[in-house]
Amino acid sequence: MKGVGSMAVITVKKLSKVFKVKVKEKGLKGSLKSIIKPKYNIIKAVKNISFSVDKGEIIAFIGPNGAGKSTSIKMMTGILFPDNGTIDILGLDPSKDRKRLAYSIGCVFGQKEQLWTHLTPYDNFKFFGAIYDIPESIVEKKIEELRELFELEEFINTPVRNLSLGQRIRCEIVASLIHEPKILFLDEPTIGLDPVVKEKIRTLIKRMNKEYKTTVVLTSHDISDIEKLCKRVIIVNKGQIVLDDTMDNLKYHYLNKKIIDVKMKEKVNLDDVEGINILKDKDYNLKLEVDLKKKTISDAINLLNIDNIIDINISNIPLEEIISQIYKDGDK
Amino acid sequence: MKKYLYIFKSELMSNLQYIFDISIGFISYCILIYIFLNLWQYVYSDPSEIINGYTMKQMIWYVIITEILWMSLSGRKYNRKICNDVKTGNIAYNIIKPYNYVEYSLFSHLGITTLRFILVTILGIVLGFIFLGSFPELTVLSIIGVLISCVLATIINTLIITSLGLISFYIEDTSPIYWVYSKLILVLGTIFPIEYFPKIIQPIIKYSPIYAVSSAPAKLFVDFSLITFIETIIIQIVYFLACLGITHFIYKKGVKKLNVNGG
Amino acid sequence: MLMEVKSQIKATHLSIKYALQRELLNKFTFISNILFMIINNGCFIVQWIVLYSLKQNIGGYSFRQILLLWGLAAMTYGISRFFFKEAFNLSDIINSGKLDNYLIQPKNVLISCITSSVEISALGDILYGLIMLILYGLSVKNVILFLTCGILGSIVLTSISIIFSSLSFWFGRTEMVANTVDSLMTNFATYPEGIFKGIIKIMFYTCLPLGITTYIPVKLISNFSLPDLIFIIFGTFIFTSLAFIIFYFGLKRYSSTNLMNARI
């Protein structure tokens, strides 16, 4: 376990959460059945997880959909009550001191809007200032400051409903920072955004973390979010922590491979080249796995001969594969 | 005609699977009938009393029938659908299809209405029997007569609501128009038979669509006579033909306007 | 404690103000919604004119008292739907995980949630209530009692909806139960208590507290009695407390959007 000590702002111990989902069969008969004798599916969303986070850290929860990332975050913020285990956030228990805790944390849920869409971001920020009992003059100063940091000049006076998704998310983040939270929770902050905007959001989060030393806990299923933002990562799958490690270690062990899909004019023979593993070779289509410890991407492309390439696609190994890889390694 | 019957049938069948959800919507029907039961029991101090030619039981059966017609029609939803078809330009797609929009809407709406009608009629009859212990005097002829009259009432009502919705071709928001129409039916055609209103306005109600779409079938149910039946059917057929003509007229005019504007 | 109440009031005030602003974006719809609601309620007076032409007294009420009954029914309905609109959608809010946003704010979840939007046509009901009071008879005493009963009654209506909507924490899709209770409360409120008999009368003072929202208030305004007023205040207190207790008890079982995701 990492980060245990006096610096920890979040300590989670043996946390569990179970959901009971009513199963409904189709049609009239099913409806009647579910009233008289309901059937339940028990879903163990979070199973006995423990970890801690230090002040000023940016930490990511990654994992596929339904892995328990959001459930964990929601328990930490006081939205959901845990079934078992303890949570200590800044010395408070979210399930008992929800309101007091709310003053020191901020939350952004990528799929849920907190802003009033008919109001301008500026008016929204003032509303949140009032919600957090901050005197008007201080709110104005804070907005001024965040406006610069998050580059909101262009649209701070445009009604939220007229903003693009990326602009909205920036405003959502600013709205959650008005009360200077010590910890910021971001649940899928970049979901649905295009790569350029994603990059922008990441830069802004990083800048904010540097400026205010705000601890950031984020969830994502986009591995590039994590690569660029975090020093430490927690991978969850099926409600359990599969890995809690530094980004450097993860990169070294699992993210040092890229997949190249190419369509060639002529066949190329890459058998027995060190650091390149041929996954598929059919007609003129090649699928390669490049081990970045041994070969750089540019070396690999040079081997293919640029003039010979009709189409190329370079991608990361899918998260699911990495996770299953980690599982396999754990079994050994 | 065959294709419209097919539309009717498929609408009815596809709604069969939601039979449970549809039935839940009838709770408010039960509440209403219960309230009217109490109200009329109070107003009629003696069950044998006759007010304006009606006994207490007749008054309650009257409301049971008018409310069946109203509940099964679900007019507000249908009106909104027509308005949306016009506003979203959906109607333009229908022009090129091998059927007429007016008939298409009518038959698909009748499909769902028939299902609702059957369900709420069963409910109404059960409620009436539990509360009152008996039916009005019924014969095979009167039952068939009432049913014919109910069908005609529903068709006329659907056509009127269609044309009210089609006014969307000309004005932005037609919901107030539907709204006024529904209130008139509620106040003048649902709660009381026309004999309860002042003598001067009785003929106005009788020859207005309110009578044809709501009061008439209920009156036939509680007090059937061959003469009223023939009279009612004549009024209803006249209204049916008139409404059919008007609806087609508004539709054709509206579509032309749409074409001029380029959709 | 006092500070907390003050800041809660300030936040609620802002929330209602912004929600109203949102509705004011379309002025025509705003005004027509209010007007139509007034006419809508007015239509039902025809029903009572007809009924009172048959009998001088229905359920122990004179025609003037019927106007007062309608006034109170419209007033309590209007205030509750205008200020606490979301209390009447609460089942759906719980099921679809929309409480999240209020749970992360340092304010009372229930109050923040139910005051997050306003129903414009309810302003028409409030105005209609006042018109009925004018027709019934204006006096300082009547106005004070009418407004007091209107506010207390609307709080009871809201509480009832919260209590029945909170069932969703345990049983999921139960909005039908809450909707039925809400429509019972609305439908019965426009008929005199005296026409009903039997078990339903017991319900008027328990699970369908129309006694507190309308029937006792009509009696109180027609003929003042201190015990009646105390009874109304006490009843409101009981139902409000119950609403908060049950809601917060259920909140522990709140499942956010997780159940929805699991269904897909």
Side-chain angles (χ1 to χ4, degrees):
Chain A
M1 278 273 301
K2 294 203 163 53
V4 182
S6 59
M7 288 282 279
V9 287
I10 301 176
T11 312
V12 170
K13 280 184 192 147
K14 297 187 170 166
L15 190 65
S16 297
K17 178 82 186 171
V18 169
F19 292 111
K20 261 168 106 182
V21 185
K22 216 175 181 179
V23 190
K24 187 187 168 285
E25 285 159 52
K26 271 190 181 156
L28 175 64
K29 232 173 130 189
S31 301
L32 285 174
K33 237 186 187 171
S34 75
I35 288 174
I36 298 160
K37 204 180 157 197
K39 263 205 235 158
Y40 291 99
N41 264 352
I42 305 277
I43 295 171
K44 289 178 184 157
V46 172
K47 287 185 260 186
N48 206 18
I49 65 171
S50 304
F51 62 90
S52 69
V53 182
D54 285 352
K55 188 172 185 297
E57 257 191 294
I58 301 187
I59 187 175
F61 273 75
I62 54 169
N65 280 331
K69 306 172 296 224
S70 294
T71 309
S72 306
I73 278 219
K74 282 172 183 165
M75 283 191 278
M76 287 187 254
T77 51
I79 291 174
L80 294 173
F81 276 66
D83 290 337
N84 269 307
T86 57
I87 307 175
D88 181 314
I89 312 269
L90 302 162
L92 297 171
D93 177 352
S95 57
K96 292 196 184 99
D97 301 301
R98 187 190 65 77
K99 272 204 241 173
R100 264 177 71 201
L101 178 66
Y103 285 107
S104 8
I105 61 170
C107 307
V108 175
F109 298 106
Q111 288 149 304
K112 251 180 217 167
E113 287 194 350
Q114 304 180 65
L115 302 175
W116 297 83
T117 51
H118 67 294
L119 298 179
T120 64
Y122 187 82
D123 287 340
N124 266 297
F125 301 152
K126 291 197 95 174
F127 174 76
F128 282 98
I131 292 281
Y132 289 96
D133 310 312
I134 307 165
E136 201 113 330
S137 57
I138 297 178
V139 172
E140 276 163 27
K141 246 191 241 155
K142 192 74 199 170
I143 295 174
E144 194 55 38
E145 195 182 307
L146 288 164
R147 188 175 79 166
E148 264 171 48
L149 188 69
F150 280 82
E151 300 163 18
L152 306 178
E153 287 81 7
E154 270 174 61
F155 50 86
I156 195 157
N157 289 317
T158 312
V160 172
R161 60 163 187 260
N162 299 334
L163 301 184
S164 70
L165 191 57
Q167 290 171 331
R168 280 191 197 197
I169 289 287
R170 270 147 83 178
C171 293
E172 292 271 357
I173 296 176
V174 170
S176 66
L177 290 173
I178 293 289
H179 58 291
E180 302 185 338
K182 297 195 177 70
I183 307 174
L184 181 64
F185 291 93
L186 301 165
D187 192 7
E188 303 277 3
T190 61
I191 200 163
L193 300 174
D194 67 60
V196 181
V197 181
K198 270 186 185 176
E199 190 54 45
K200 178 100 205 166
I201 301 283
R202 286 179 202 129
T203 317
L204 292 171
I205 293 172
K206 221 169 177 177
R207 200 194 282 175
M208 182 256 338
N209 168 261
K210 228 172 152 185
E211 190 85 3
Y212 301 122
K213 304 279 174 290
T214 312
T215 310
V216 179
V217 178
L218 66 90
T219 71
S220 180
H221 56 251
D222 185 345
I223 202 132
S224 43
D225 274 353
I226 288 101
E227 269 186 281
K228 292 185 179 138
L229 276 173
C230 310
K231 290 218 170 63
R232 184 172 148 219
V233 60
I234 294 178
I235 298 183
V236 267
N237 194 30
K238 295 179 182 159
Q240 283 173 315
I241 293 182
V242 196
L243 184 101
D244 178 353
D245 208 344
T246 61
M247 202 61 219
D248 289 341
N249 269 342
L250 182 78
K251 263 190 185 159
Y252 185 76
H253 288 297
Y254 306 104
L255 289 180
N256 47 14
K257 289 182 181 130
K258 292 261 178 190
I259 306 285
I260 301 182
D261 269 296
V262 271
K263 197 173 181 185
M264 312 289 295
K265 283 182 197 155
E266 298 166 15
K267 286 211 171 196
V268 184
N269 188 8
L270 292 171
D271 295 345
D272 306 322
V273 178
E274 212 206 342
I276 293 182
N277 184 13
I278 298 167
L279 301 174
K280 216 169 80 185
D281 185 358
K282 203 184 165 201
D283 302 332
Y284 295 99
N285 295 313
L286 262 181
K287 192 172 186 179
L288 311 170
E289 187 185 82
V290 183
D291 190 337
L292 299 180
K293 280 183 280 183
K294 293 171 184 153
K295 274 259 168 330
T296 63
I297 285 288
S298 64
D299 286 345
I301 293 174
N302 283 334
L303 279 173
L304 289 165
N305 183 4
I306 294 177
D307 295 332
N308 207 0
I309 298 173
I310 297 172
D311 194 6
I312 186 161
N313 183 20
I314 304 167
S315 54
N316 286 313
I317 299 176
L319 191 55
E320 282 73 10
E321 259 171 54
I322 296 175
I323 290 169
S324 67
Q325 185 65 41
I326 292 169
Y327 264 134
K328 268 185 218 155
D329 292 356
D331 287 344
K332 273 176 202 166
Chain B
M1 196 62 197
K2 213 172 148 193
K3 60 188 165 197
Y4 296 120
L5 284 177
Y6 182 76
I7 292 165
F8 170 82
K9 207 180 110 194
S10 56
E11 186 72 21
L12 192 134
M13 294 320 254
S14 72
N15 276 293
L16 266 178
Q17 52 182 319
Y18 304 116
I19 205 164
F20 189 71
D21 303 81
I22 294 172
S23 312
I24 285 170
F26 296 146
I27 293 173
S28 61
Y29 177 83
C30 303
I31 299 172
L32 238 106
I33 301 301
Y34 177 77
I35 288 177
F36 275 100
L37 174 81
N38 281 277
L39 180 67
W40 289 120
Q41 277 177 344
Y42 186 89
V43 173
Y44 283 81
S45 39
D46 165 8
S48 61
E49 197 183 339
I50 289 174
I51 301 179
N52 292 326
Y54 292 87
T55 64
M56 183 198 87
K57 285 187 179 179
Q58 280 179 316
M59 284 307 292
I60 294 165
W61 278 114
Y62 182 87
V63 179
I64 289 178
I65 302 296
T66 53
E67 285 291 343
I68 286 175
L69 287 169
W70 188 247
M71 287 293 293
S72 52
L73 191 73
S74 178
R76 198 167 66 149
K77 224 167 146 189
Y78 176 63
N79 182 257
R80 217 179 291 150
K81 185 194 155 280
I82 301 281
C83 291
N84 274 337
D85 277 353
V86 176
K87 275 187 207 152
T88 57
N90 219 349
I91 210 162
Y93 294 106
N94 281 292
I95 296 168
I96 51 168
K97 297 216 172 121
Y99 51 68
N100 186 288
Y101 178 78
V102 174
E103 267 82 24
Y104 172 80
S105 305
L106 175 67
F107 278 89
S108 71
H109 183 243
L110 288 180
I112 168 84
T113 304
T114 306
L115 182 66
R116 294 171 63 94
F117 181 81
I118 294 168
L119 293 173
V120 75
T121 301
I122 295 169
L123 179 67
I125 285 172
V126 169
L127 279 182
F129 196 74
I130 292 173
F131 289 151
L132 301 170
S134 68
F135 295 109
E137 243 176 81
L138 293 173
T139 60
V140 178
L141 179 71
S142 75
I143 291 173
I144 294 170
V146 171
L147 277 178
I148 293 173
S149 177
C150 282
V151 171
L152 279 168
T154 304
I155 293 174
I156 298 166
N157 215 343
T158 306
L159 284 171
I160 293 176
I161 296 172
T162 311
S163 44
L164 294 181
L166 288 175
I167 296 175
S168 298
F169 277 122
Y170 304 96
I171 60 172
E172 184 65 29
D173 188 8
T174 61
S175 53
I177 303 178
Y178 169 74
W179 188 85
V180 169
Y181 173 72
S182 67
K183 287 299 150 218
L184 282 172
I185 294 200
L186 177 79
V187 173
L188 299 176
T190 308
I191 305 170
F192 308 108
I194 53 174
E195 288 83 355
Y196 269 70
F197 294 99
K199 283 248 153 42
I200 322 164
I201 65 166
Q202 280 186 20
I204 303 174
I205 301 174
K206 185 158 184 181
Y207 295 107
S208 77
I210 297 168
Y211 185 74
V213 303
S214 184
S215 324
K219 189 178 160 63
L220 278 180
F221 185 78
V222 298
D223 185 17
F224 188 86
S225 80
L226 204 57
I227 296 172
T228 5
F229 172 66
I230 293 166
E231 190 189 51
T232 304
I233 295 298
I234 291 171
I235 293 177
Q236 286 189 320
I237 287 175
V238 170
Y239 263 109
F240 166 66
L241 294 173
C243 290
L244 193 66
I246 291 169
T247 314
H248 273 287
F249 178 75
I250 298 177
Y251 174 70
K252 273 189 196 131
K253 279 269 172 190
V255 168
K256 252 185 212 149
K257 185 170 174 276
L258 201 70
N259 288 342
V260 174
N261 292 343
Chain C
M1 183 65 192
L2 194 66
M3 275 305 290
E4 209 174 306
V5 172
K6 232 175 111 184
S7 82
Q8 178 73 53
I9 290 172
K10 195 184 165 199
T12 307
H13 166 83
L14 263 183
S15 173
I16 291 174
K17 186 179 121 187
Y18 284 158
L20 182 61
Q21 264 177 25
R22 178 170 53 197
E23 302 301 326
L24 276 167
L25 289 177
N26 189 338
K27 296 243 165 27
F28 177 77
T29 318
F30 179 81
I31 292 179
S32 68
N33 267 325
I34 294 173
L35 272 178
F36 276 115
M37 192 45 76
I38 294 177
I39 305 168
N40 177 47
N41 296 342
C43 284
F44 289 92
I45 290 304
V46 175
Q47 180 191 351
W48 291 101
I49 292 174
V50 173
L51 285 168
Y52 274 87
S53 72
L54 307 173
K55 245 184 151 143
Q56 296 305 309
N57 168 323
I58 292 173
Y61 283 8
S62 65
F63 186 66
R64 259 183 76 212
Q65 279 176 311
I66 286 289
L67 295 180
L68 182 60
L69 177 82
W70 262 92
L72 275 164
M75 195 71 183
T76 49
Y77 183 94
I79 296 175
S80 65
R81 270 22 175 227
F82 183 77
F83 291 100
F84 313 121
K85 180 183 176 189
E86 297 301 330
F88 300 89
N89 294 325
L90 194 57
S91 245
D92 186 52
I93 291 173
I94 293 166
N95 283 325
S96 55
K98 287 183 193 144
L99 283 177
D100 289 13
N101 283 344
Y102 312 107
L103 277 162
I104 55 175
Q105 293 171 2
K107 290 282 169 287
N108 185 290
V109 188
L110 184 56
I111 295 176
S112 307
C113 169
I114 64 178
T115 56
S116 61
S117 55
V118 296
E119 176 71 58
I120 290 312
S121 61
L123 283 178
D125 290 304
I126 294 174
L127 285 174
Y128 185 79
L130 294 174
I131 295 169
M132 289 299 105
L133 176 68
I134 293 168
L135 293 178
Y136 172 78
L138 267 187
S139 73
V140 179
K141 185 200 91 184
N142 284 357
V143 172
I144 292 172
L145 284 178
F146 185 82
L147 291 180
T148 310
C149 293
I151 293 167
L152 293 176
S154 72
I155 293 173
V156 174
L157 284 182
T158 311
S159 302
I160 289 290
S161 187
I162 293 168
I163 290 169
F164 285 96
S165 302
S166 295
L167 290 178
S168 284
F169 284 125
W170 286 273
F171 307 109
R173 310 217 64 89
T174 58
E175 54 267 54
M176 181 202 109
V177 178
N179 289 345
T180 305
V181 173
D182 290 339
S183 78
L184 280 168
M185 291 297 290
T186 315
N187 279 312
F188 282 113
T190 53
Y191 290 87
E193 185 186 9
I195 67 167
F196 299 106
K197 296 189 295 265
I199 191 149
I200 189 94
K201 281 203 143 174
I202 299 168
M203 290 166 78
F204 289 158
Y205 294 89
T206 50
C207 58
L208 291 177
L210 283 142
I212 299 167
T213 57
T214 13
Y215 300 141
I216 297 178
V218 171
K219 221 168 83 189
L220 185 72
I221 295 170
S222 318
N223 199 350
F224 182 80
S225 99
L226 192 62
D228 280 348
L229 183 61
I230 292 170
F231 185 82
I232 296 172
I233 294 171
F234 181 70
T236 308
F237 176 75
I238 295 283
F239 278 103
T240 314
S241 312
L242 264 179
F244 273 91
I245 291 168
I246 293 175
F247 177 84
Y248 274 93
F249 195 62
L251 193 59
K252 298 199 164 123
R253 304 178 53 101
Y254 177 59
S255 57
S256 186
T257 47
N258 287 65
L259 291 192
M260 287 172 57
N261 292 339
R263 272 189 202 111
I264 296 164

